[in-house]
Amino acid sequence: MRMLEGELWEYNGVVYIAKGFQHPEGMIVAYPRYDLYISGKIPGWHLERYISTVNWECIKYRIPVIPVSKSTVFLNRLNSIQQVVAGIISDTLGVRENDIYVTGSSRILGKYNDIDIAIYGVKEDFTKDLEDLVDRGVLKRVDEWVLVDEYWEKHRGGISLAEYLWFKKNTLLHLNILGIHVNLRPVIYSRGVHGCIEPVLNISEYTGLVRVVEPIIDHAIPSRYIGLLDNGEEVILESMREVYSELDTGSYLAINNKVEERPSGIYLVPDHGLLKPILRH
């Protein structure tokens, strides 16, 4: 039991995907994704039926949760293709197999045309090692048409296709391994916790420009960057979303982002709003 981003939990015949790393006592922050009774993904218009929320003062947000006491970690054996791909990642990146976790529809539904893999407890040198392997051709990026499919399946509606492809133009997280689209989700934490570890003291909303100055940690979840707001205020731009985990330096339009004051600093969080690149034509 990790209680971390990407871990699958079963509750009342539904598979939920854990989010984040800190959770209210006795609960797991998780979103419903798959109905085991119909062996399929829950359509977006039907999700509300499976969501129970609580207002958690720790992060000053209403969050979807499931009870730990009535839930179990979703366990099933990996198929042979998934085992081979996990083994290749372990060998090439020097990651322990216990820290590699196959998640998403490939694990639940047994499909393997694309495989989502979380890697827990990644270190500071992970990105450099991954970039080196891609540059040397040991690992290869997927073709652009694969990213187009990824956009239409998971990201349409908020950002445009052109914006998504711009975000992913130098991706290290969408790889072609044995002809299979493998989406890596490196997570910097090794284990989640019950309790309020990083409280939000005050929260406000921001729409305007933000300039990404430099990454603190990128190609990982959560990703963090040094950013500057319109008024010159320095913030830490932090995201739990994979789509925002590979940002280049430069200016972006933040729409309905949250500004969170925490004991460790001021954070700009785009995850419940939008972050759009300023594209030059």
Side-chain angles (χ1 to χ4, degrees):
M1 182 173 70
R2 294 272 188 168
M3 299 194 304
L4 277 177
E5 186 81 15
E7 187 174 47
L8 303 173
W9 285 72
E10 183 180 348
Y11 173 59
N12 284 347
V14 173
V15 176
Y16 291 71
I17 299 182
K19 306 299 293 182
F21 75 99
Q22 58 181 352
H23 310 271
E25 292 292 343
M27 302 176 186
I28 297 291
V29 180
Y31 286 90
R33 282 295 180 265
Y34 305 93
D35 188 328
L36 296 178
Y37 294 113
I38 63 172
S39 298
K41 193 170 184 177
I42 301 171
W45 58 269
H46 209 42
L47 284 174
E48 290 297 324
R49 174 183 175 184
Y50 301 94
I51 294 178
S52 176
T53 63
V54 298
N55 188 35
W56 197 21
E57 180 60 23
C58 173
I59 61 174
K60 292 181 168 50
Y61 211 84
R62 196 157 191 88
I63 53 173
V65 294
I66 56 175
V68 174
S69 62
K70 298 180 180 179
S71 307
T72 57
V73 175
F74 180 77
L75 296 174
N76 67 342
R77 293 179 60 85
L78 301 182
N79 62 40
S80 58
I81 296 294
Q82 293 164 347
Q83 291 178 29
V84 169
V85 170
I88 291 172
I89 291 171
S90 176
D91 292 341
T92 54
L93 289 169
V95 178
R96 296 186 312 164
E97 288 193 11
N98 286 345
D99 291 328
I100 296 174
Y101 183 84
V102 176
T103 183
S105 60
S106 63
R107 179 156 197 166
I108 298 166
L109 305 179
K111 300 178 180 179
Y112 52 83
N113 55 315
D114 65 84
I115 301 176
D116 295 327
I117 295 184
I119 304 175
Y120 296 127
V122 299
K123 307 301 182 186
E124 291 182 0
D125 57 355
F126 177 85
T127 293
K128 182 179 179 182
D129 292 343
L130 180 57
E131 186 172 22
D132 179 63
L133 289 167
V134 171
D135 287 344
R136 290 194 287 118
V138 177
L139 295 173
K140 297 182 179 181
R141 294 183 177 95
V142 296
D143 293 330
E144 186 176 276
W145 68 266
V146 177
L147 294 174
V148 172
D149 284 348
E150 179 81 358
Y151 169 81
W152 287 111
E153 183 179 349
K154 299 179 181 178
H155 301 287
R156 61 180 175 176
I159 58 176
S160 70
L161 174 60
E163 289 166 338
Y164 178 74
L165 293 177
W166 190 92
F167 280 134
K168 294 302 171 185
K169 63 183 182 296
N170 295 312
T171 184
L172 300 178
L173 303 182
H174 292 267
L175 303 175
N176 180 335
I177 298 179
L178 301 179
I180 298 168
H181 173 203
V182 177
N183 185 192
L184 298 183
R185 307 292 180 94
V187 179
I188 67 174
Y189 302 110
S190 296
R191 196 164 296 278
V193 295
H194 277 125
C196 187
I197 304 302
E198 194 172 22
V200 174
L201 306 178
N202 290 293
I203 191 168
S204 58
E205 193 166 277
Y206 176 77
T207 293
L209 293 180
V210 56
R211 181 160 65 89
V212 172
V213 178
E214 62 177 321
I216 300 172
I217 181 167
D218 56 359
H219 306 284
I221 297 172
S223 55
R224 296 188 181 115
Y225 310 83
I226 300 296
L228 291 175
L229 302 184
D230 265 344
N231 61 6
E233 181 180 11
E234 184 175 293
V235 296
I236 299 173
L237 194 159
E238 179 186 83
S239 178
M240 297 294 294
R241 293 188 61 190
E242 185 266 336
V243 68
Y244 298 141
S245 67
E246 304 186 279
L247 300 181
D248 282 345
T249 56
S251 294
Y252 296 82
L253 176 61
I255 302 174
N256 298 330
N257 287 199
K258 301 299 182 185
V259 177
E260 298 181 355
E261 179 187 345
R262 307 177 193 169
S264 56
I266 305 297
Y267 290 75
L268 180 71
V269 182
D271 294 5
H272 297 287
L274 286 174
L275 192 67
K276 289 175 167 282
I278 308 297
L279 300 181
R280 306 297 183 187
H281 299 285

